[in-house]
Amino acid sequence: MPNISMKLLAKELGLSLSTVSKVFTDSHEISEQTKQKVLAMAKQLNYVPNPYASSLRKRKSKTIAVVLPEVADSFFSVAINGIESIAREKGYHVLIYLTHELFDREQAILADFQSGRVDGVLISVSNGTTNDSHINDMMQRGIPVVFFDRVCEETATTRITTNDRESGRLATQHLLENGCKRIAFLTLSESLSISRNRLDGCRQALAAHRLIFQENDLVLCTDKDADNRDIIKRLLQRKDRPDGIIASVEKLTAGVYLACRDLKMVIPKDVKVISFSNQSTAPILNPSLTTITQPAFEMGKAAAAALFNNLKRNNQQYKPETIVVPSVLVPRESTTGVHQG
Amino acid sequence: MPNISMKLLAKELGLSLSTVSKVFTDSHEISEQTKQKVLAMAKQLNYVPNPYASSLRKRKSKTIAVVLPEVADSFFSVAINGIESIAREKGYHVLIYLTHELFDREQAILADFQSGRVDGVLISVSNGTTNDSHINDMMQRGIPVVFFDRVCEETATTRITTNDRESGRLATQHLLENGCKRIAFLTLSESLSISRNRLDGCRQALAAHRLIFQENDLVLCTDKDADNRDIIKRLLQRKDRPDGIIASVEKLTAGVYLACRDLKMVIPKDVKVISFSNQSTAPILNPSLTTITQPAFEMGKAAAAALFNNLKRNNQQYKPETIVVPSVLVPRESTTGVHQG
DNA sequence: AGCTATTTCGCAACCGGTTTCGTAAATAAA
DNA sequence: TTTATTTACGAAACCGGTTGCGAAATAGCT
């Protein structure tokens, strides 16, 4: 049995195809009476209109794409929830794509969107993204793009970020206030906007305390946990070792804890640790982990909401506005030594 | 400027629309020479065929749906990676939908798929799913469905699970071998297949040791962390309190650790803890957490692979096969007291 | 009643590819 | 050279809705 089409529905009702179609677009041309009749029959036959036929004619897909580096990180997991929640509200569908931090894959994914597959794109750029021409191509084709979390700052469109610089500042200040004299900053990338901004904030805070950031305290880690553990161990074995560590991404936390364990160093006595993290296990780590927690769900929602705004006014000119959803610093034992609820 | 269409491309080349189309389907009817010419021009003009026009005519969307309870859990996050990796390999696109554990939302989502939006469905059923008629509807329409992780055992289609029962047995046995006399089993749902199976395994292991499971040692938790903390505290304050706890889902772990902290009970001395979890922080918890780790990535891949198999042979009859990807028990301090790497 | 305005619906073109079929030219077989 | 095949391409129908426009039916008005 072929899926029932609108044509079939029309024949069943003794109406024309166009009349039935107009019922579904809720056209004023159709009387309330026949609308009811059609809707009733549709429900009875379990009819669902073919979205692709509609997309073809209307040149709208009612679909957005979410392009992410990966979903291993708990930030993106939660962000997806936020995105999905408002997409569903608007009756949109969500396609998901992973770049695995590869620039060429990111380009290939966006290139496919030239086809009209999606009406808009939400993107958190990959680690290796060096330019934004693929993004601009999208927008020139009339497909709005909204950045979230990992943004391209030069690109003229809406950006949703958290207050990365401010958070970096706060994290550093928090360490200093808890007695740290020398702070190391762990990062995965020097090019990513969020990393740069967090580091900038760190530098600012140090400067405010008349300290300057030593360049060898900027530690570039890899995406392999085992390597990071070694890298951090070496950091902690230096004679001028830091007494405070900022892990600028969630996945570096484990390396710090394990390195300390290996070296029999005690957090926070020997070294204090603060991490940019959304992990729900932060309170039950030992010691519990002081975190800068990003508002992942809210950022997801804000990003989707902004995209739908840009979708509505379909001019090609989007204002390069940056919406900032602030992170919160949650102090715990790893910096304060103080145990709390 | 309208997006360039195949018709435009054809005109540009002085060829007919159908000829150009046949180039893209790599038809034998077209000479190698003109194929090259068309492809070259297509690349030059940056032409990407409209997927919806193609879907409409071919009655294939090259798209699959992934229906999940939520992505807050790290299991699903990683599973998505597995799914996406093989979908991309096959040239398929991935739509994602969240049920938020609501049965009616799950039904509504699947009902939409009657439209032909997707060629196949990967689903992990919601907590509240009580029957499988919506799944069967899908399959009768010729849309294959593959379960993963949270399956419906009665439904006649492919299922990807981990060895839940065996793992429940192993977890229990592990606790017993480490000296536990009385074991509590924390769960979120009594209806979910995975919970039931894990519990069954637990019962089996106890029986093998000539112990029987006390019904009040089955503790039903909620999805609110604060409540769970209290529930677990009450459990640990009973005079016949357990000396071993199995958390059958990841998100219950925090409750156990916090409850113990509140009561000044020491893991593993006072109570040993094992958790079904994929959290990367397990090794750095204090004490480090013994886990049963599900092979999330492999399950995602297996599920997608199975779906594509069912997609290929497009008969409506799918064999109700269950593919089991085994979990691994990683012993750590929370049960053994022994510190390791 | 006569005439215009409004409501309600059907016809047909259209969205952008896909595919069947027909045909002219090129090649092979007789 | 004639006939049978094969090769290479174009015309047109089609997938399943959407929409502009025209026409019939009804309502409103003098």
Side-chain angles (χ1 to χ4, degrees):
Chain A
M1 179 188 74
N3 267 335
I4 70 162
S5 66
M6 188 177 274
K7 183 174 352 189
L8 219 77
L9 219 190
K11 183 152 53 172
E12 199 71 24
L13 286 155
L15 287 171
S16 84
L17 176 59
S18 54
T19 300
V20 175
S21 173
K22 285 170 185 168
V23 170
F24 285 97
T25 58
D26 201 29
S27 164
H28 67 276
E29 292 185 2
I30 306 299
S31 73
E32 200 54 41
Q33 187 179 330
T34 51
K35 276 185 185 173
Q36 296 309 328
K37 226 183 310 190
V38 172
L39 259 19
M41 179 66 82
K43 189 173 299 179
Q44 184 191 323
L45 295 188
N46 215 335
Y47 167 72
V48 185
N50 183 312
Y52 298 138
S54 169
S55 294
L56 186 55
R57 179 64 222 248
K58 298 209 288 195
R59 296 157 159 281
K60 294 232 162 354
S61 64
K62 279 283 195 175
T63 303
I64 63 172
V66 179
V67 182
L68 303 176
E70 55 192 347
V71 271
D73 191 302
S74 54
F75 172 80
F76 288 122
S77 309
V78 178
I80 290 176
N81 281 277
I83 294 166
E84 197 267 358
S85 76
I86 103 115
R88 147 158 296 262
E89 199 174 280
K90 302 276 185 181
Y92 272 71
H93 298 256
V94 179
L95 280 167
I96 198 159
Y97 296 90
L98 306 183
T99 62
H100 300 281
E101 306 284 12
L102 266 28
F103 184 38
D104 58 349
R105 192 169 290 194
E106 181 176 303
Q107 286 179 307
I109 290 166
L110 288 236
D112 174 76
F113 297 161
Q114 306 274 357
S115 65
R117 187 183 296 280
V118 297
D119 296 342
V121 179
L122 246 37
I123 187 171
S124 200
V125 298
S126 88
N127 206 321
T129 298
T130 53
N131 72 68
D132 64 351
S133 61
H134 55 315
I135 312 268
N136 286 322
D137 282 357
M138 283 292 89
M139 298 199 292
Q140 270 170 20
R141 298 261 179 168
I143 302 175
V145 178
V146 167
F147 290 106
F148 76 104
D149 195 46
R150 301 208 201 157
V151 309
C152 283
E153 282 162 336
E154 331 82 64
T155 316
T157 184
T158 313
R159 287 178 282 274
I160 315 293
T161 67
T162 183
N163 52 349
D164 287 303
R165 194 179 324 256
E166 173 77 1
S167 298
R169 226 171 44 68
L170 275 180
T172 308
Q173 191 175 309
H174 177 77
L175 286 178
L176 293 173
E177 284 169 358
N178 281 276
C180 291
K181 301 295 181 200
R182 176 143 194 179
I183 291 170
F185 187 93
L186 310 186
T187 185
L188 269 184
S189 160
E190 311 204 57
S191 58
L192 237 38
S193 60
I194 53 170
S195 300
R196 275 207 320 273
N197 288 336
R198 289 168 187 179
L199 178 58
D200 276 2
C202 177
R203 284 201 163 97
Q204 276 182 22
L206 287 172
H209 283 68
R210 301 175 195 288
L211 297 168
I212 74 157
F213 186 73
Q214 311 286 331
E215 280 315 311
N216 71 338
D217 288 339
L218 171 58
V219 180
L220 187 61
C221 296
T222 76
D223 51 1
K224 298 184 65 179
D225 290 339
D227 293 350
N228 294 336
R229 188 170 175 171
D230 290 336
I231 291 172
I232 296 164
K233 271 161 80 169
R234 278 199 295 278
L235 170 69
L236 290 172
Q237 285 174 314
R238 287 189 341 210
K239 49 210 151 304
D240 60 341
R241 69 169 186 80
D243 56 2
I245 292 183
I246 300 176
S248 73
V249 276
E250 177 173 304
K251 70 176 313 191
L252 297 178
T253 307
V256 178
Y257 271 65
L258 290 173
C260 287
R261 179 187 294 185
D262 288 346
L263 299 176
K264 313 258 187 259
M265 294 181 69
V266 177
I267 307 172
K269 187 172 68 65
D270 301 321
V271 59
K272 305 193 195 310
V273 179
I274 183 170
S275 181
F276 284 80
S277 168
N278 280 40
Q279 276 162 324
S280 59
T281 48
I284 59 170
L285 293 187
N286 186 356
S288 61
L289 175 67
T290 297
T291 56
I292 302 275
T293 299
Q294 299 101 296
F297 187 77
E298 285 72 21
M299 284 175 70
K301 278 178 70 169
L307 182 61
F308 287 119
N309 269 336
N310 288 350
L311 232 43
K312 236 179 312 189
R313 58 158 184 287
N314 57 349
N315 57 342
Q316 257 99 303
Q317 286 308 315
Y318 312 108
K319 54 173 180 285
E321 155 193 40
T322 299
I323 299 173
V324 177
V325 191
S327 294
V328 294
L329 190 159
V330 183
R332 296 199 185 86
E333 295 169 275
S334 69
T335 54
T336 64
V338 179
H339 176 114
Q340 69 271 81
Chain B
M1 177 188 73
N3 267 336
I4 71 160
S5 66
M6 189 176 276
K7 181 169 3 185
L8 220 75
L9 221 191
K11 185 153 50 176
E12 200 71 25
L13 285 156
L15 287 172
S16 83
L17 175 60
S18 53
T19 300
V20 175
S21 173
K22 285 171 187 169
V23 170
F24 285 96
T25 57
D26 201 30
S27 165
H28 67 276
E29 291 185 4
I30 307 298
S31 74
E32 201 53 41
Q33 186 180 330
T34 50
K35 276 184 186 175
Q36 296 309 329
K37 224 180 316 188
V38 172
L39 260 18
M41 179 66 81
K43 189 174 299 179
Q44 184 192 323
L45 294 187
N46 216 336
Y47 168 70
V48 186
N50 183 312
Y52 298 138
S54 168
S55 294
L56 185 55
R57 180 63 223 248
K58 298 210 287 195
R59 296 156 160 283
K60 296 235 164 342
S61 64
K62 280 282 193 176
T63 303
I64 63 172
V66 178
V67 182
L68 302 176
E70 53 192 349
V71 272
D73 191 303
S74 55
F75 171 82
F76 288 121
S77 310
V78 178
I80 290 175
N81 281 276
I83 293 166
E84 198 266 358
S85 77
I86 105 115
R88 147 159 295 263
E89 199 173 280
K90 302 276 185 181
Y92 272 70
H93 299 256
V94 180
L95 281 167
I96 198 159
Y97 297 90
L98 305 183
T99 62
H100 299 282
E101 306 283 13
L102 266 28
F103 184 38
D104 58 349
R105 191 169 290 194
E106 182 176 303
Q107 286 179 307
I109 290 166
L110 288 234
D112 173 75
F113 297 161
Q114 307 274 357
S115 66
R117 187 183 296 278
V118 297
D119 296 341
V121 179
L122 245 38
I123 186 172
S124 201
V125 297
S126 88
N127 206 321
T129 297
T130 52
N131 72 68
D132 64 350
S133 61
H134 55 315
I135 313 269
N136 286 320
D137 282 357
M138 284 291 91
M139 299 200 291
Q140 271 170 20
R141 297 261 181 168
I143 301 176
V145 178
V146 167
F147 290 106
F148 77 104
D149 194 48
R150 302 208 200 158
V151 308
C152 283
E153 281 162 335
E154 330 80 65
T155 315
T157 185
T158 313
R159 288 177 280 274
I160 316 292
T161 67
T162 184
N163 53 348
D164 287 304
R165 195 179 323 256
E166 173 76 1
S167 298
R169 226 171 43 67
L170 275 179
T172 309
Q173 192 176 308
H174 177 77
L175 286 178
L176 294 173
E177 284 168 357
N178 280 276
C180 292
K181 301 297 182 200
R182 176 141 195 181
I183 292 170
F185 187 95
L186 311 185
T187 184
L188 269 183
S189 158
E190 311 205 55
S191 57
L192 238 38
S193 60
I194 54 170
S195 300
R196 275 207 321 273
N197 288 334
R198 290 168 185 178
L199 178 57
D200 277 3
C202 176
R203 285 203 163 97
Q204 276 181 23
L206 288 171
H209 283 70
R210 299 172 199 288
L211 296 168
I212 73 156
F213 185 76
Q214 311 285 333
E215 280 315 311
N216 71 340
D217 289 338
L218 171 58
V219 180
L220 186 62
C221 296
T222 77
D223 50 0
K224 300 185 64 177
D225 290 338
D227 292 350
N228 294 335
R229 188 170 176 171
D230 290 336
I231 291 173
I232 295 164
K233 272 162 81 170
R234 278 200 296 277
L235 169 69
L236 289 172
Q237 286 173 312
R238 289 189 339 209
K239 51 210 148 305
D240 59 343
R241 69 168 185 80
D243 55 2
I245 291 183
I246 300 176
S248 73
V249 277
E250 178 172 303
K251 70 176 311 191
L252 297 178
T253 307
V256 178
Y257 271 65
L258 291 174
C260 287
R261 178 187 293 185
D262 288 347
L263 300 175
K264 313 256 188 259
M265 294 181 68
V266 178
I267 305 172
K269 187 172 69 65
D270 300 322
V271 58
K272 304 192 195 313
V273 179
I274 184 170
S275 180
F276 284 80
S277 169
N278 279 38
Q279 276 162 323
S280 59
T281 48
I284 58 170
L285 294 188
N286 187 358
S288 63
L289 175 66
T290 297
T291 56
I292 301 275
T293 300
Q294 299 100 297
F297 188 76
E298 285 72 22
M299 284 175 70
K301 279 178 70 168
L307 182 61
F308 287 120
N309 269 336
N310 288 350
L311 232 44
K312 235 180 312 188
R313 57 157 186 290
N314 58 349
N315 56 343
Q316 256 98 306
Q317 285 308 313
Y318 313 107
K319 53 173 182 283
E321 157 192 37
T322 299
I323 298 174
V324 177
V325 190
S327 294
V328 294
L329 190 158
V330 183
R332 295 198 186 86
E333 296 169 272
S334 69
T335 55
T336 64
V338 178
H339 176 113
Q340 70 271 81

